[in-house]
Amino acid sequence: MTDTHITTDELVFIEAYFHHGTPVSQIATRLGRARQTVHNGIAYLRDGHTVIKMRTLSCPR
């Protein structure tokens, strides 16, 4: 099995589902990702981060 990094698009979906109260298991199924991967993304968001902030930091202009 090949490990792949979660994409920005997937993080956007995770953030949207998270704000709508969708359970981790359901998000993971919809994205075809492991529950732990989705959980890690949600933990990142709960720490006060957003996908927009992350994208801005990783792609300085």
Side-chain angles (χ1 to χ4, degrees):
M1 182 198 257
T2 304
D3 291 336
T4 57
H5 291 282
I6 195 161
T7 66
T8 304
D9 289 342
E10 288 173 318
L11 276 174
V12 169
F13 281 116
I14 290 170
E15 184 172 30
Y17 288 136
F18 168 68
H19 289 303
H20 281 88
T22 306
V24 170
S25 59
Q26 199 170 40
I27 298 170
T29 300
R30 290 179 182 178
L31 295 178
R33 290 289 190 162
R35 289 188 315 257
Q36 185 64 51
T37 301
V38 173
H39 174 76
N40 292 344
I42 289 173
Y44 175 81
L45 296 170
R46 281 190 180 143
D47 285 342
H49 301 283
T50 65
V51 176
I52 293 171
K53 283 183 193 175
M54 181 214 59
R55 187 73 181 148
T56 304
L57 292 175
S58 65
C59 295
R61 295 181 184 205

